Amino acid sequence: MTADLFDSVADAQPWREEIADGAVLLRAFVRPIESELIAAVRAIVAQSPFRRMTTPGGHLMSVAMTNCGARGWITDHTGYRYDPIDPRTGAPWPAMPPVLRDLALRAAEQGGFTGFAPDACLVNRYTPGTRLSLHQDKDELDYAAPIVSVSLGLPANFLFGGMARSDKPRRFRLVHGDVVVWGGPNRLAYHGVAPLADGEHPLLGRQRINLTFRRTQ
Ligand code: MD6
Ligand code: FE
């Protein structure tokens, strides 16, 4: 009787919200390791600093980016790609810390994707007013692997659309500690981030940090 009650509570998992077929939102999933994550991000940035990149169309992105892992996502006037070398430092990107690799694996499992082994982690820094326009993540070779996306710092409105850019996106408020796991039939859904509202986060100040883990090849 008591066991049944607890089982049904566990099954409900209020922290796990299915937002689309193959996409789940894991509320507060990384709160228990937030200090380790923030320390890991600081170490990455000390080696490969945040920088604003230019799109192939010549636009300077408002979001600043860096990477860790065997390959990093970059954009310049020649296009988008994954590259093992940070063009800013001329050296490989910082290695992916075990705490990050492990969290990506555990989160992917919660989304129903076992054995996720990311080789790239894109680190995005949003300051108030910055945004990421609707896009698809399609520079990876294997769409069978999901993407795991971690939010730290200020809250953001995540826009989640359909397979066409013109599909009206739904909005999900992502706060510090939330994780989105994204794959399956919605792997190529259009998505973006609305302009960041101003605020002050107790651990990270006036910014939002987003980590997205990918299997690129
Ligand atoms: C962000 N995220 O949340 C940007 N892409 O800052 C993404 O572009 C993203 O959260 C693919 C899957 C999940 C994501
Ligand atoms: Fe994306």
Side-chain angles (χ1 to χ4, degrees):
M1 185 70 176
T2 311
D4 284 351
L5 177 64
F6 280 108
D7 283 349
S8 64
V9 169
D11 286 347
Q13 293 173 332
W15 48 274
R16 187 183 185 282
E17 191 180 325
E18 194 138 346
I19 63 173
D21 204 3
V24 293
L25 205 175
L26 309 174
R27 294 283 182 196
F29 189 77
V30 301
R31 286 299 296 269
I33 54 166
E34 61 188 9
S35 332
E36 290 97 316
L37 293 188
I38 291 169
V41 169
R42 294 211 162 107
I44 290 161
V45 170
Q47 208 175 317
S48 276
F50 282 120
R51 81 294 306 266
R52 291 171 68 190
M53 300 190 206
T54 305
T55 66
H59 296 283
L60 185 65
M61 298 186 75
S62 65
V63 177
M65 300 179 172
T66 185
N67 293 272
C68 69
R71 304 187 341 129
W73 186 86
I74 55 176
T75 171
D76 59 20
H77 64 283
T78 68
Y80 308 113
R81 64 189 176 280
Y82 285 97
D83 199 303
I85 300 295
D86 176 352
R88 176 65 58 94
T89 64
W93 299 100
M96 192 181 297
V99 63
L100 295 194
R101 189 178 295 284
D102 175 66
L103 107 76
L105 175 70
R106 289 188 293 110
E109 257 163 25
Q110 291 296 329
F113 303 92
T114 53
F116 181 47
D119 60 348
C121 174
L122 173 62
V123 186
N124 294 322
R125 184 186 63 191
Y126 297 74
T127 49
T130 63
R131 62 191 289 270
L132 194 61
S133 52
L134 283 184
H135 66 279
Q136 294 170 294
D137 288 18
K138 57 177 185 187
D139 301 319
E140 303 77 28
L141 290 181
D142 180 4
Y143 297 144
I147 292 176
V148 170
S149 169
V150 176
S151 294
L152 297 171
L154 288 179
N157 281 309
F158 187 60
L159 309 172
F160 180 71
M163 294 302 148
R165 189 185 295 276
S166 54
D167 294 340
K168 187 177 156 60
R170 289 179 293 150
R171 275 175 184 254
F172 295 91
R173 184 177 152 88
L174 301 181
V175 306
H176 177 77
D178 290 350
V179 174
V180 181
V181 178
W182 183 286
N186 271 289
R187 176 63 179 74
L188 291 177
Y190 276 90
H191 59 279
V193 177
L196 198 79
D198 201 355
E200 179 80 25
H201 186 271
L203 298 178
L204 283 167
R206 288 182 79 204
Q207 60 179 341
R208 169 179 185 255
I209 304 286
N210 167 262
L211 311 171
T212 56
F213 296 88
R214 297 110 189 272
R215 178 87 207 161
T216 70
Q217 54 183 5

